[in-house]
Amino acid sequence: MSKSLFKKVLIANRGEIAIRIIRACRELGVKTVAVYSEADKDSLHVRLADEAHYIGPAPSNQSYLSVPAIITAAQAAGADAIHPGYGFLAENPFFAEVCKNWNITFIGPSPEAIRAMGLKDTSKALMKKAGVPTVPGSDGLITTAAEALDVAERIGYPVLIKATAGGGGRGIRIARNAEELTTNLEKAASEAGAAFGNAQVFVEKFIEVGRHIEVQVLGDKHGNVVHLHERECSIQRRRQKILEEAPATTLPEEVRTQIHEAAVKAAKAVGYDNAGTVEMMYDELTHEFYFLEMNTRIQVEHPITEAVTGIDIVKEQIRIAAGQPLRWAQEEIRVRGHAIECRINSEDPDNRLFPSTGTISTLEIPGGPWTRWDGMLYQGFKVLPYYDSLVGKLIVWGESREDAIEKMERALGEFKIEGIKTTIPVHQRILHSDDFRSGKFSTEWLEGFLGMK
Ligand code: ADP
Ligand code: ADP
Ligand code: MG
């Protein structure tokens, strides 16, 4: 079987996702190559891979974001494929092209598909043309304050100013009136310029009572695209997810079907192959849904979809990249039960969830039926400040939402991590709350609940 796949996959990433990919490769009989920065020489992904190559100093622009360093490592190791994980180079069309030029298979979509979905304003325009609903707004970039004021007048306040190159919840600002719009427009542009090297912004309607619903899709190199149903990701802080569930139990059935169909249409419109996620906002007041963006990579929360569908998405990514056709027809992909993921971040719940660093002195990881830990921690491991604060993900599956909640509470109660502050107490509060249990929450709920607003 491995003959038709790859000889060696280099994983151009770190942390829990690098480990996740190493595990998938090992089960497929494919050798793995880890890369690591100075800060990661003692990291678990380095120990678990078949071989590991040093790629530079701690700052990611000198290591995990360095295309020459990664290609050099791939050449030295004789890797015939690269899995980019998420973040870093995962959505960089230039990197995907360089891989192609070096005859290395990029385990992800084509450079063209990445580029088409890369900027939020152009992908929105493309989706609108393809017949996928988009959030009402400026229909393109905003260049003057007068233009922004006109758009806001037309669609009504509040509005969001969004950096077209933004990601990870950064580069988004709200404006509740004309005055805020004028001042925030400049702030948003200069921040975006500094953070993403692209100061361009656009304006769209702020959906005040909305849910983040996203659809996992898989496409192959033979023109087939299927969806793996949806995830509910409205539990967020700083516009970044912290707890996710599958399926979205409160969604009206006809809306669910329409969202799935729209996601497949979006993927087909850009000739998508490999795994991707179409993110949507569902307006609870109007029952309309809108395309937000497409993430052209594996997503942090992919395990909850794996739990309810039984499909190993990372293994499928590798099979698809090797040219194999999808192994299921749409109607064969069914959802069973309910799954929840809690992102365990090294953040301080008593200090506005600011990143926390330290050495892991005690570690007891929960187990039990349908309880999965995708993590990078071990006793003695030093959590440093250079990268993302995500140190692992706890995932449970239950026969119902109630059962999954009970399992997650039980598992979180068993967790012992000492040496760093984590988001575990936040998850316990969320799971215990009446609002969460009854399904009454929107994307704005968590910050209010935690008193962060
Ligand atoms: P997901 O969409 O998979 O839930 P997140 O939005 O939390 O993931 O982002 C996953 C990772 O990718 C995080 O480390 C985040 O900082 C990073 N990331 C996402 N988008 C970008 C981007 N445009 N530029 C740089 N990093 C990004
Ligand atoms: P990123 O690339 O940073 O993930 P997204 O466009 O996916 O950016 O938006 C991140 C989050 O911001 C969404 O999950 C949602 O909570 C919020 N958001 C984005 N657009 C809107 C909108 N038009 N109205 C309300 N909330 C929004
Ligand atoms: Mg997003």
Side-chain angles (χ1 to χ4, degrees), residues 307-379:
V308 294
T309 61
I311 294 175
D312 185 317
I313 299 170
V314 178
K315 279 190 191 168
E316 287 319 307
Q317 287 193 290
I318 297 168
R319 292 192 176 107
I320 290 165
Q324 295 189 2
L326 289 180
R327 299 182 302 148
W328 304 272
Q330 184 63 65
E331 57 279 10
E332 292 173 294
I333 302 168
R334 295 218 173 80
V335 169
R336 188 166 161 259
H338 195 89
I340 303 177
E341 170 181 277
C342 288
R343 296 194 189 193
I344 312 299
N345 292 4
S346 52
E347 292 175 15
D348 186 353
D350 299 323
N351 186 17
R352 296 184 63 83
L353 294 170
F354 276 13
S356 155
T357 55
T359 302
I360 307 297
S361 51
T362 303
L363 182 66
E364 288 172 26
I365 295 169
W370 298 293
T371 304
R372 166 174 170 183
W373 170 244
D374 275 23
M376 62 178 300
L377 297 178
Y378 61 83
Q379 212 145 332

Side-chain angles (χ1 to χ4, degrees), residues 120 135 160 162 166-170 172 204-207 212 236 239 279 281 292-293 443:
K120 289 185 203 290
V135 188
L160 287 182
K162 279 188 165 182
R170 294 175 312 144
I172 301 178
E204 70 182 26
K205 177 122 192 90
F206 175 62
I207 294 155
H212 175 120
Q236 306 181 347
R239 309 205 185 284
E279 296 191 334
M281 269 313 271
L292 273 186
E293 64 163 346
T443 50

Side-chain angles (χ1 to χ4, degrees), residues 66-85:
S66 166
V67 175
I70 286 168
I71 296 292
T72 305
Q75 287 294 303
D80 51 353
I82 293 183
H83 195 308

